[in-house]
Amino acid sequence: MRDVYVIGAGQTPFGSFPDRSYRDLFAEAYGATRDSVDSGIETDEIDEAVVATLGVGGRQLGLSGPAVTEHVGLHNVPCSRIENACGAGGFAVRQGVQAIKSGMADVVLAGGFEVMTDLSGDVTKYWLGVSGETEWERLTGTTFSGVYAQMASAYMEKHDATKEDLSRVAVKNHGNGAKNPKAHLGFECSLEDAVSAPAVADPLNLYHCCPTSDGAAAVLLASEDVVDEYTDERVRVAGTGAASERVGLAQRDSYTEISASSEAADRAYERAGIDPDDLDFAEVHDCFAIAELIAYEDLGFCDRGEAPRLLREGVTDPDGDLPVNTSGGLKSKGHPIGATGTGQVVEAFDQLTGRAGDRQLENPRYGLTHNVGGSGGAAAVHVFENEEVAQ
């Protein structure tokens, strides 16, 4: 099968934009993505589009994919909408990769968008619950912060982790997000701030939870047959993996790991021909602070129970051995559901092509993105390679 390359990637700022529409946001991300292609690209050169979204403002709009692609001039281009809760963007990229590897397309647009701040907080928390287990979680009043709080409690008890360990995730990611002009919460916080914030769902507090955001992000993928027409910067999709898991916590064997993430990562590493030790950075799904800790272990960055040590020792800091969430992650950059996974790929593309500005790492070769749906019902993992560094 043919190799697939990222030839462009772009996004809007993530935040609260009451005066903007979902079409407007997608058009900005699409324009930024086209502008990032070195040799330029015309709309009629795109063979297919895949668009990720949970819905629009809770309204579950039908034909939301074509509604945004026709708005940017992609008429008569086949467009599929992907809905896999918070993991939709990662799966949109995966479907774009599959279309190219199959030979059915040479250039694919994988994008995502969400408008989330036009509803009240009370409505939003129950709307987001559609991504969890309906009968035993959502309809009994459990919110996503409540679900992840259960995971955090189980993890802290099993591994003697503390609220300070959770808070170090916030401190690190806010520090990174403060250097990202596209971040929703682009400010730094101290460990004291993060530890003492108001409770949301014990043991999680305000600084342990990501914001709900508006935004859009997109990625252009091209086959090895045409990539040289667009760019000399060869960012290869070295490996991709995906998996599903039981949607509800009560149905799982463990509250302290997400098997879909582990399985997806194993497949991505195998296809890329690398191990976790080969990675130079990662963007992981930190919707709640505990999710980042669990991700370290699911993705093979450390053994079970060792995630707090990585944070305490600075391993995942920007100057550490494995920087994680240089964009600010969901915690600081924001979480417009359909755009989150594609937004992670934007950061990976920027890092691997030297476009990350104040967040730029030194000469990275391999980067990973990890996008989770719900509390772990689905996960998509991608490994990207700068082939020039490999040489």
Side-chain angles (χ1 to χ4, degrees):
M1 291 187 288
R2 302 183 298 175
D3 272 336
V4 180
Y5 293 83
V6 183
I7 59 171
Q11 66 167 82
T12 68
F14 289 174
S16 176
F17 309 115
D19 297 329
R20 303 192 62 179
S21 72
Y22 67 96
R23 285 187 170 109
D24 175 37
L25 289 166
F26 187 84
E28 181 182 339
Y30 175 67
T33 303
R34 287 184 61 192
D35 289 345
S36 71
V37 179
D38 292 338
S39 299
I41 187 168
E42 299 300 324
T43 295
D44 61 8
E45 297 177 76
I46 298 172
D47 301 315
E48 190 163 334
V50 189
V51 176
T53 181
L54 179 62
V56 181
R59 292 184 290 273
Q60 300 292 300
L61 178 71
L63 288 177
S64 51
V68 294
T69 54
E70 60 83 16
H71 182 66
V72 299
L74 287 169
H75 308 303
N76 299 319
V77 172
C79 177
S80 302
R81 173 198 169 184
I82 295 293
E83 188 284 295
N84 235 351
C86 317
F91 278 84
V93 173
R94 178 176 182 265
Q95 184 159 318
V97 170
Q98 289 177 315
I100 292 173
K101 282 187 173 292
S102 73
M104 294 186 69
D106 275 315
V107 179
V108 175
L109 176 71
F113 67 89
E114 216 71 64
V115 174
M116 301 177 66
T117 64
D118 62 344
L119 299 173
S120 71
D122 284 341
V123 173
T124 298
K125 69 182 180 182
Y126 290 113
W127 170 55
L128 291 175
V130 301
S131 302
E133 206 284 331
T134 299
E135 289 82 4
W136 299 103
E137 291 179 354
R138 184 187 182 211
L139 294 183
T140 58
T142 302
T143 63
F144 261 124
S145 55
V147 169
Y148 274 93
Q150 293 177 65
M151 297 167 74
S153 295
Y155 186 95
M156 292 166 71
E157 180 178 353
K158 183 174 183 178
H159 298 302
D160 294 324
T162 67
K163 287 189 178 181
E164 284 196 355
D165 294 321
L166 296 174
S167 298
R168 287 187 178 93
V169 174
V171 173
K172 172 180 67 68
N173 291 351
H174 273 283
N176 293 339
K179 298 178 180 178
N180 185 352
K182 302 292 179 68
H184 187 167
L185 303 179
F187 55 83
E188 296 182 355
C189 72
S190 68
L191 185 59
E192 181 181 357
D193 291 336
V195 170
S196 61
V200 173
D202 190 64
L204 301 179
N205 67 35
L206 189 63
Y207 271 94
H208 302 151
C209 308
C210 75
T212 54
S213 310
D214 306 331
V219 179
L220 276 166
L221 305 167
S223 73
E224 64 180 63
D225 298 330
V226 301
V227 61
D228 291 337
E229 299 174 20
Y230 299 104
T231 183
D232 294 326
E233 295 179 316
R234 298 174 68 88
V235 176
R236 185 171 72 99
V237 184
T240 185
S244 299
E245 163 65 307
R246 295 173 180 87
V247 174
L249 283 185
Q251 300 166 307
R252 300 182 194 167
D253 295 330
S254 172
Y255 279 23
T256 61
E257 55 190 88
I258 294 175
S259 65
S261 293
S262 300
E263 191 65 36
D266 288 345
R267 293 170 183 173
Y269 291 140
E270 181 179 0
R271 288 164 181 160
I274 68 166
D275 295 317
D277 290 343
D278 295 313
L279 294 173
D280 296 298
F281 67 91
E283 288 286 303
V284 309
H285 197 94
D286 61 321
C287 50
F288 298 91
I290 185 60
E292 180 161 328
L293 290 172
I294 291 174
Y296 290 178
E297 299 170 13
D298 289 337
L299 299 172
F301 300 168
C302 62
D303 292 335
R304 296 290 174 189
E306 290 294 306
R309 177 184 60 80
L310 297 191
L311 284 160
R312 295 169 190 164
E313 296 179 0
V315 173
T316 56
D317 287 350
D319 58 354
D321 290 339
L322 180 57
V324 172
N325 287 338
T326 54
S327 70
L330 283 65
K331 176 64 197 75
S332 174
K333 183 184 179 184
H335 185 25
I337 290 179
T340 294
T342 47
Q344 291 178 325
V345 180
V346 173
E347 180 70 12
F349 177 77
D350 285 349
Q351 288 288 353
L352 292 170
T353 58
R355 309 180 195 207
D358 291 342
R359 307 183 312 284
Q360 184 60 51
L361 303 173
E362 185 177 354
N363 211 30
R365 175 180 176 180
Y366 287 111
L368 174 147
T369 64
H370 161 250
N371 193 199
V372 173
S375 60
V381 174
H382 307 298
V383 175
F384 301 93
E385 178 190 13
N386 182 329
E387 288 189 328
E388 293 182 0
V389 175
Q391 295 171 359

